[in-house]
Amino acid sequence: MKRNVDSKLLLGLVIGGAIGAAVGYLAATDKKEQLLNDLNEIIAKAKNAFTSAVSTYRESKTETAIVDSEAQSEA
């Protein structure tokens, strides 16, 4: 159990260090506007993909409900 806690702590420290390094790099670079624009584009694409996946899931649930209700009405 202790080993699991230690590995989670180490992972948290590594992730925190990586985030800190990224923020420091963005603050110190002359190209931060370009980097921020690139990050915004990536975030927008991820958001659109997520929205599309949720929409597809909802459509499939609706179609499944319709098929189930038709099957019950025929029985």
Side-chain angles (χ1 to χ4, degrees):
M1 184 72 176
K2 178 138 175 73
R3 185 177 179 106
N4 191 20
V5 171
D6 290 342
S7 64
K8 287 182 181 180
L9 177 64
L10 182 60
L11 179 63
L13 289 172
V14 169
I15 291 173
I19 291 171
V23 168
Y25 178 75
L26 282 174
T29 185
D30 293 336
K31 296 182 180 182
K32 65 181 169 185
E33 290 297 324
Q34 180 62 35
L35 288 171
L36 290 175
N37 287 337
D38 292 345
L39 286 174
N40 283 333
E41 288 178 18
I42 292 169
I43 291 170
K45 287 179 184 178
K47 183 179 175 182
N48 288 337
F50 179 77
T51 303
S52 175
V54 168
S55 175
T56 301
Y57 172 76
R58 287 181 178 164
E59 288 174 5
S60 69
K61 290 290 276 186
T62 302
E63 290 173 3
T64 302
I66 291 171
V67 169
D68 289 345
S69 66
E70 288 176 353
Q72 287 178 357
S73 66
E74 290 178 0

